[in-house]
Structures are given as C-alpha cells and as structure tokens.
Amino acid sequence: MAEKSLRDPWSPYRPTPEAPWNARRVVVLHRRAAFAATRDELRRDLDDGPGPSVDRLLAGRTPADDFERTSTLIADAAVESRDPERLKAWWVYRMLAGPDPLGERLTLMWHDHFATGNQKVADIAAMRRQNDVFRRLARAPFGDLLNAAVRDPALLVWLDAPANRKGHPNENLARELMELFTLGIGHFSEGDVKEAARALTGWTVADGAFVFNPAAHDDGDKTLFGETARWDAPGLIRRLLDHPATARRLAGRLCGLFLGEGVVDAEAVDELAEGLRAQHLDVGWGVATVLRSRAFFGAANLGSRVVGPAEFVVGAARALGALDPPPNTLLLADWLTRIGLDLFYPPNVGGWPGGRSWLSSRGLIARANFATALTGGLGVGLPGPVDVFGPDGPEAPIDRTVASLAERLLGYDPGAGWRGRIAAAVGAGSVAPAEAVRRAAALVLSSPEAQVA
Amino acid sequence: MSSRRDFLKTSLRHSSLVALAPSIPGFLAATARAAAPGRDDRVLVVVQLDGGNDGINTVVPYKDEGYARHRKALRIPAGDLLKVDGAVGLHPRMAEAAKLLERGELAIVQGVGYPNPSRSHFRSMAVWHSARPDPEEHGGPGWLGRAADALPPRVDRAPAFFLGDGSPPAALVGRRTTPVTLERPEDFALSGPPDPRRALGAGPAADPGSGDLAAFVRRSALDAYATADRMAELAGADATAGRDLRGRLALVARLIKSGAGARVYYTQQGGYDTHAGQPDAHAVLLGELSSALGAFQADLKASGLAGRVAVLCFSEFGRRVAENDSAGTDHGTAGPVFVVGAGVRGGLIGPAPSLVDLDDGDLKSSVDFRRVYASVLRDWLSLPPDGPLGGRFDPLPLFRPA
C-alpha cells in the first residue's frame, strides 16, 4: 500500500523517479479513461509523455464522418428492429471503434448514475435517445445534464412521473432525484420527499416527449428543506444543484470511475467537491483534474481498481489488436452481459454495484471463457484465431511471448514465476506454436493480474 | 478429473471415504464430505421479494375497518380471499401457499419491521441485509455472511449460493465469505483450453503494489474454478432451470440433491415496487411465488429432503396503507415474513397489524425482523445468533424441536 494520504492529490502529475512515465501508467490511463490502448497507442503515448496522452483522451478525436454515419445507421436499424440486443451491440460498436472512448466511459457512468431499465421502459427508441443525451452532455456542467435527465421520457416513465399528479403524488421520482441523482441519503427528510413529489407534479410524458402539464401541477405552498414557498420542479432542481452534498456526490462518482480503492481519502474528495462547486459543477473540469493529477498517476492507483466488464471485453479486443476485421458486436454485447453488465438493463434504480462485486464466480468464469473465445476468434465472430504473436512471431520461445503479452496487456511483467506457470499451462511443445501463443494470450487475459488495473 | 470423479462416486456408494479421511489426501476428503452432507446440515433458502411487497394485499386483514377505507381500487373482496381465520385471508392467487398453511408447513409472521423504518429501497434493504438499523454500520458484512464466517473455512465448497442476475446481496457477504453467484448451470462451465486453473499457481499474488485487492482476486478465482468443478459433477444440466423463481428453486433443489454442500441458498423475485397498476402485477407475482414454493416443497419431499430445508421469504418493506391514485401504493413499513418447510411450526405468528391505528399513515410493526433471524440462526442453522445480529433478540417459535 502507498502512503496514507498523498499531499496535494489534485496537483498535476509530473514524472518522477518514484512515479515514472512508463508502460504501466499508459495501460492504467487507457484502462480507466478509455477501453485499453492498442499496441500503436501504447507506443505513441509512451513516447509523448503524460500531457499529450491525457489531453488526447480529454478532447477525443474529431469524429470521422463515416463513423457517425455508420453509428446512426446501426442505431436506427436497432430501433427499427425493436431488438434490444442490437441496441447493446450499437453501443459496444461505439466503445470499440468510436473517436471518443473517454466520452463512452462517461456515458456509461451516467447510465449507471441515472440507471434506467428497459425492462420497465420497454421502448428502445427512448433508451437510445436517453443514451445520446448522456453522451452529448457527458462532460457538460452537471446542471445541464441533470435538467436534461429529469426531463428525459425514458427516465420519467421508469420513475412513474406520469402518475405523479396534483392531489395524487407518486414519490418515486422525487425520492430517487434526491437520493440517487443529487444529494444522497441523509441529506433530506421523508417530509422533503413528499413535498418534492408535489413540486414535480405536472412533469410527464405525452407522445413520447417531455411535457409540463399545468393542470396536473400542484401550485400550492410546500415546505422543502425548511423553506415554505410555491416550489416547482425547476426551483427544486436549482436548490439540489446548489447543495454541497451534490458536489460531494459528483466528486465521489468521478473518483469511483477513475481511481482505485482507497487511493484518496475523504478530505481529498471534499477538496475535489469544492473545486467542482467553484467551477459550477463542470464535469469536464472534474474529469480533467482527476486524470491529470498526482493521485491518478501515483503508485497507489496502479492495480487497485477492478476492471469492469466493458473495459475488460472491449479492452481485450483492442489491446490484442482484434479490430480488423472487428469482432461481432452482438456477440461482444452478450459477453458483457455474461460478465455482469447487461446494457440498458441495470439491476435496479441504483445501477450496478461495481468494484469487487464484478468478480463473482460466474463473472470470473465468463471472463475466462471470453478470453478463450476471443483468442480463438470464432466465439466472437472472427474467421479464426486472433493474430497475437509477439514481436518474433509464433516461433519465439514461449517465455518471451508471455513477457511480450504481459507488456501489452498489463504494462508490466509480473515475474518469472508467473511467466513460468503460464508457459506450463499452455502446453508448449505439445501443441502447434500458433496455438501455444493463442493459449498464452487467453491465460494472460484471465489471470488475476488482468482483472485489475 | 473424470477418474477422480468416478473414484468418488464408487467410494461414496460404500460410504467409506469419509471414514478413511485421515489417510487420504485433503482435497479428496473435503470433496467427499461435500458430496455427502451430514444429516445435521440443515439448509436455509432465502427468497427476497424485491421492491417492497404490499403485505396488506398478501395477508389481507379483511375484517379491519381500515382496509375498505384505505383501499378502494385495490381492495380484494372478502369472498375472493383464501381465509386463514376470522380476520385475515391470503391473496386469491396463493392457493399453493394456503395448502402449505393447512398442512402446517407455512408460518406467517405478521407485522415484521424495525424501529424508525426507512422508506428507501436501498437503505431498508441494507437494514435487512446487515441486521443493523444504523446506516453507519451498512456497507459491511451481512447477517448470513457473518454467520457463515463462523463456519470452518472450506476451499472446495461455497457456504452460500446466490441464484440470480448480477451481484449477490450484501446479506451473504462476510469478512471471509464470498457467495457463489449462479444464473444458469452453463454459466459455470470452463470452456478452454487453456485451463486457467493451471496458470493460477499456489504462490502469493505477483504484484505487491495492490495489496489486499490482489489477494481478493486470487481467492475469488480459486472459488470460481472450484465451483466450476462441482457444477461439472452435476449430471444432466436442465436448460430451463433458473429462468424464473420456480426454475431457480428447482436449481436449488438440484444443488442440494447433488451435495453442493452450501448451508444457504439465496434468490430473488423482483417487481414488487408497485407504484402504479398494482392489482394485475401483484397477482402475477404472488401466484408465481406461491406456486414456486409449493413445487419446491413437493420436489424436496419426493427426494426425502424436506426435513432438511427451510425457506424464508421477506421484502425490504411493506407499502403505504392508503393506496395512491395510480392504482398503486407507495413505500411503507412493516410486512409479513413467510417461513416454509416440513420442520416449520406452521400458522400465524403475531397479531395482524392494525389498519386503523397508524403511524403517520403507515403500519406499526409488532415484531422486530431480527427475532425472525435469531430463530433461523439458532433453531434452524444451529449457529450462534448474537454476533451476526449485533445483539440479543428473542427467537420466535418458528421451528419444531429437532
């Protein structure tokens, strides 16, 4: 474990002898803020240093016209087909080949934060529109995102807003707005929930779009947070955005996305929250601050976060160079589900528990089976095994191949004992060299070392 | 692998392997014990009703004058109920549950809750999972996880299985105990080559920088692959097992029959958060619950296992007494808990909560849920209850004396 609390955790990282810019840090950056680096990206970022590497992720690439055109075609066809599996595949395609992997990571974070499930919404077009809202406002000031999310038809249906009318309050949206989207539990009372539900009356969905229905709105006095006024929904949202607990929750979210277990203490999260308040809850500012920070590149942040299902699956394909031809995204989306992330179907309004809970027995077995499927190719819709040879091709000694795979997938070499176990499990000598390399890649991917970054 | 399995099957037929334990390798002895659980290994099956079950329309106090007053759209006519006594009746869709009650195999504890109830799904579920009302104590181990921590550690056999989607509930997580999650039997087959077990090795985690997390990942991987082995030993995977509550309970029965050896199985039935359009949705859920419980009991009886298994059904809270105007109900407080099994002392336990004497529109709870847990731990699982529950709670007379 590293030192208990890093001094100035949010000051910019500069490479030092203790925290050098190396392959490990490039791998961690791309595992946390993207979906792993390809071999070329790894090499390029190692040469360029932390500044340009982080800036590139923050900015995203200018989307090629044909990517967005293809993406839109795929999404339209998914909506047309009414098949949710095809919508999942569309998102996986964006993660795998899109110009803005950090944007997709943030979109996934917001899907988790405003967790909306198609099991109840039952409207793929609405789920897609919500997803595009999360993507468009992924780095925006949180107020813009929150205002859009709380007017989003899928979310309103999910939380029973249409049933919340003057004189007939339904508390579902009011409670989750405060408990999950902004303040967090402990910062509001049961009375606040009841009054907030009244303030939100009239916000509903008609013909698939958000509308305010003045006739259903309760215009009377309400006492919220000790203040009696004719509260309405915009006023409630403004108050929630002003509350320090919202900034704290947002800071906690960003730390949870980018940092490992115990990397920063409560004081550091508070400090980030204060910064966010000073920046009008600008998420882009928060993301940039965390990704450029000493906390992010500190030793404690290496190998201390469980790699989630999306970064595991999409990251494995990218890091192994299985992109041309690309794997079948329907099959990749199915692997995501088996590993524990069923896109558009969060387990409940609280989203996915994440962290160590990703490593259930079922999830770990599915990860091992995915490693077998990906490297073999057929299980992910490729014509044959992925070309994962080390620099010397399939004829290189197996130990050298394992070392080279470790460098690409982990950014470091766990040691001779580790390499030896993998080489022994491969059965080198008793199988063809190409098959030995494929097995070695599968074993590195399913090793405990590859489940964290 | 297969020769080891064949050896075990042959040996178990003669019941000799356990007796030979001191002279055979440790892993074989452990596997043999797991394959032949002792008579005293009683099993608990938890069915978590997710979303907050409307207890009032489950065990209906039809004689309570408050029922008709507060339930207009949702009122179930007294004539449709499956009468339990002169005051309460079961929802009309719960015919199988009514049969269990008649046979004395279903105990219904009424008005179960806790002081200062939370109406948050997450906080209230955390209270039930942790057995700690104080939120400061949430996020840590759960009541069954703590209880399982007291069992001797076993590498080859999980103390608890969770059958469902996603992550296991906090109730099952202990300081050392990690439950095994199972959605479908085929989720537990390793497809290699290569075999990831062979690359795992026996040494400590390679990366010293990641400390405790690295050890956790290794341990989780070992557990996962040991479970894959056990599931491979189960004959004839049933493709429909595990799809709905009935299928998941069928899978629980198969795991118990095959000697998976866990003391606790945990599964969920979702959909009880009936803010709107409750009558149809609730009827479907209760019908599924009731028939799943009936089928499970019948399955266990046919296998001679009924005496070893008890089922506990709970929900994180009941619902508001007054219905809302969406033909639904909002979050409330106390509710009934069901305990099912041949070893259960059947009948109604505790008074039905009053629908007239309310606390700010909500039911007053008459039985602390930790008293139910205390009975389950002490009288069923033979585990000390005070530690897992964080204090002493009077057990209820839920089980027949052994």
Side-chain angles (χ1 to χ4, degrees):
Chain A
M1 298 300 284
E3 61 272 41
K4 237 333 184 213
S5 60
L6 195 67
R7 200 178 295 247
D8 293 335
W10 307 120
S11 60
Y13 161 74
R14 308 263 178 267
T16 63
E18 294 76 43
W21 181 245
N22 55 16
R24 180 93 193 257
R25 286 184 168 76
V26 179
V27 164
V28 167
L29 173 65
H30 284 268
R31 286 269 169 195
R32 305 269 182 93
F35 298 92
T38 63
R39 199 189 245 184
D40 291 343
E41 288 165 346
L42 189 61
R43 225 175 270 143
R44 179 200 63 196
D45 284 4
L46 206 47
D47 288 345
D48 287 357
S53 303
V54 172
D55 286 349
R56 258 194 295 268
L57 285 170
L58 291 173
R61 293 193 306 274
T62 309
D65 276 354
D66 57 343
F67 174 80
E68 287 302 340
R69 214 166 23 237
T70 309
S71 168
T72 302
L73 279 174
I74 295 171
D76 289 347
V79 169
E80 185 78 20
S81 75
R82 298 175 164 218
D83 178 356
E85 302 310 313
R86 293 182 63 176
L87 198 67
K88 296 175 196 175
W90 161 69
W91 196 356
V92 169
Y93 170 71
R94 295 199 61 97
M95 295 176 187
L96 188 70
D100 182 15
L102 174 60
E104 299 301 331
R105 289 297 297 265
L106 293 169
T107 303
L108 185 55
M109 177 177 80
W110 296 128
H111 179 38
D112 191 11
H113 187 83
F114 296 104
T116 304
N118 195 46
Q119 55 266 47
K120 176 167 170 182
V121 177
D123 182 344
I124 295 179
M127 295 304 291
R128 181 232 183 152
R129 278 197 296 274
Q130 183 192 65
N131 197 255
D132 277 332
V133 168
F134 292 158
R135 183 171 294 103
R136 181 166 55 80
L137 298 174
R139 297 167 167 89
F142 184 65
D144 295 358
L145 176 64
L146 181 67
N147 270 294
V150 181
R151 289 175 178 82
D152 176 71
L155 187 130
L156 290 174
V157 169
W158 172 242
L159 295 177
D160 295 315
N164 184 31
R165 304 185 313 280
K166 180 179 182 175
H168 316 291
N170 184 307
E171 294 171 7
N172 209 4
L173 174 62
R175 182 183 304 279
E176 309 313 3
L177 171 62
M178 293 195 284
E179 178 175 335
L180 297 175
F181 304 159
T182 57
L183 306 180
I185 202 157
H187 298 282
F188 57 89
S189 68
E190 281 301 317
D192 291 331
V193 173
K194 289 181 179 152
E195 297 291 83
R198 291 178 57 210
L200 288 162
T201 50
W203 279 33
T204 188
V205 179
D207 299 326
F210 166 77
V211 290
F212 173 64
N213 174 7
H217 179 62
D218 179 345
D219 200 27
D221 273 348
K222 306 151 192 101
T223 303
L224 264 165
F225 310 111
E227 192 187 312
T228 304
R230 289 168 64 193
W231 286 93
D232 60 7
L236 168 65
I237 290 170
R238 272 196 302 278
R239 172 59 64 92
L240 295 173
L241 287 166
D242 282 344
H243 198 295
T246 297
R248 183 68 164 64
R249 197 165 160 73
L250 202 51
R253 268 280 176 203
L254 294 178
C255 291
L257 179 62
F258 295 123
L259 301 180
E261 298 178 0
V263 170
V264 288
D265 55 18
E267 213 175 304
V269 180
D270 287 341
E271 199 189 313
L272 184 65
E274 282 164 31
L276 278 164
R277 289 194 84 196
Q279 298 289 332
H280 309 290
L281 304 185
D282 183 353
V283 172
W285 176 87
V287 169
T289 300
V290 175
L291 290 182
R292 290 181 174 134
S293 70
R294 296 175 64 218
F296 185 81
F297 289 106
N301 198 32
L302 305 177
S304 56
R305 187 177 182 279
V306 173
V307 173
E311 51 270 35
F312 182 78
V313 166
V314 178
R318 289 176 49 79
L320 284 181
L323 293 170
D324 189 22
N328 179 323
T329 48
L330 272 168
L331 292 173
L332 289 188
D334 189 50
W335 279 110
L336 277 189
T337 302
R338 291 163 76 173
I339 290 173
L341 179 69
D342 194 4
L343 295 171
F344 303 110
Y345 291 81
N348 55 50
V349 288
W352 289 271
R356 292 188 180 201
S357 70
W358 289 128
L359 301 179
S360 67
S361 293
R362 174 181 151 227
L364 283 166
I365 289 170
R367 285 177 189 229
N369 290 342
F370 169 70
T372 300
L374 174 70
T375 54
L378 299 178
V380 293
L382 293 171
V386 173
D387 178 5
V388 291
F389 302 139
D392 304 317
E395 307 300 333
I398 191 72
D399 186 64
R400 196 142 94 213
T401 303
V402 173
S404 146
L405 285 164
E407 191 72 12
R408 281 163 68 187
L409 296 171
L410 310 177
Y412 72 103
D413 180 350
W418 182 87
R419 293 198 310 273
R421 284 198 302 276
I422 288 181
V426 156
S430 61
V431 293
E435 170 63 6
V437 174
R438 180 196 74 76
R439 291 185 183 186
L443 290 170
V444 173
L445 281 174
S446 56
S447 69
E449 288 74 9
Q451 313 315 311
V452 296
Chain B
M1 226 51 222
S2 67
S3 62
R4 180 185 132 204
R5 230 175 284 145
D6 294 344
F7 166 61
L8 284 174
K9 277 183 191 146
T10 316
S11 303
L12 284 174
R13 220 163 281 140
H14 304 290
S15 295
S16 58
L17 195 59
V18 176
L20 288 173
S23 62
I24 61 171
F27 79 91
L28 282 178
T31 310
R33 277 200 302 273
R39 257 173 221 290
D40 299 332
D41 275 346
R42 285 170 163 182
V43 169
L44 173 69
V45 180
V46 180
V47 178
Q48 173 177 305
L49 311 180
D50 271 328
N53 177 36
D54 183 20
I56 294 168
N57 266 9
T58 307
V59 184
V60 182
Y62 63 92
K63 278 286 169 62
D64 191 315
E65 58 181 284
Y67 185 58
R69 189 191 311 156
H70 291 294
R71 297 292 173 96
K72 300 271 186 318
L74 299 188
R75 190 175 69 86
I76 302 169
D80 294 352
L81 295 168
L82 306 166
K83 300 279 167 49
V84 176
D85 61 16
V88 302
L90 293 178
H91 188 284
R93 292 287 187 88
M94 300 185 75
E96 290 298 316
K99 282 184 207 155
L100 291 170
L101 194 62
E102 269 166 38
R103 289 203 299 267
E105 295 174 357
L106 166 62
I108 300 175
V109 191
Q110 305 196 85
V112 184
Y114 56 91
N116 302 314
S118 169
R119 289 165 195 79
S120 155
H121 292 296
F122 308 99
R123 181 160 287 181
S124 195
M125 196 58 98
V127 170
W128 281 82
H129 281 172
S130 64
R132 303 289 193 278
D134 182 357
E136 295 285 317
E137 296 185 72
H138 296 168
W143 70 286
L144 288 166
R146 287 180 206 262
D149 281 344
L151 295 165
R154 300 281 297 271
V155 178
D156 65 311
R157 134 181 184 188
F161 273 87
F162 168 60
L163 291 90
D165 293 328
S167 311
L172 290 181
V173 177
R175 291 191 191 288
R176 284 202 316 265
T177 303
T178 320
V180 165
T181 302
L182 176 58
E183 190 182 12
R184 294 183 295 250
E186 65 264 31
D187 289 339
F188 272 89
L190 283 165
S191 65
D195 182 347
R197 281 167 294 208
R198 293 190 54 207
L200 214 47
D207 177 20
S210 50
D212 177 50
L213 176 61
F216 175 85
V217 180
R218 273 189 66 77
R219 201 167 56 238
S220 300
L222 283 166
D223 281 352
Y225 303 151
T227 306
D229 281 350
R230 283 224 59 77
M231 292 302 288
E233 290 171 27
L234 294 183
D238 168 2
T240 63
R243 302 281 179 213
D244 55 11
L245 181 64
R246 188 180 178 135
R248 285 195 293 278
L249 287 178
L251 194 51
V252 169
R254 183 138 60 81
L255 286 162
I256 297 170
K257 285 181 227 167
S258 69
R263 300 295 305 278
V264 178
Y265 297 83
Y266 200 111
T267 190
Q268 291 159 299
Q269 185 196 19
Y272 283 94
D273 197 11
T274 48
H275 285 280
Q278 176 173 313
D280 290 350
H282 199 225
V284 169
L285 290 168
L286 292 178
E288 186 184 328
L289 173 65
S290 166
S291 67
L293 291 173
F296 184 58
Q297 272 310 102
D299 187 356
L300 293 174
K301 272 194 188 148
S303 318
L305 289 167
R308 274 188 51 212
V309 182
V311 185
L312 169 72
C313 307
F314 80 97
S315 194
E316 69 266 39
F317 43 61
R319 305 194 76 82
R320 199 69 55 83
V321 176
E323 65 193 21
N324 64 24
D325 278 50
S326 330
T329 47
D330 292 326
H331 302 179
T333 53
V337 164
F338 288 6
V339 186
V340 187
V344 166
R345 195 197 294 260
L348 294 173
I349 295 179
S354 166
L355 271 57
V356 178
D357 177 21
L358 301 176
D359 182 1
D360 193 18
D362 273 316
L363 297 178
K364 291 179 177 169
S365 105
S366 50
V367 177
D368 192 291
F369 72 106
R370 288 164 291 184
R371 295 185 64 194
V372 177
Y373 286 1
S375 328
V376 167
L377 291 174
R378 190 193 74 175
D379 299 337
W380 187 250
L381 293 175
S382 304
L383 292 170
D386 295 358
L389 303 184
R392 178 146 300 178
F393 294 89
D394 278 345
L396 298 161
L398 281 176
F399 300 98
R400 299 177 205 280

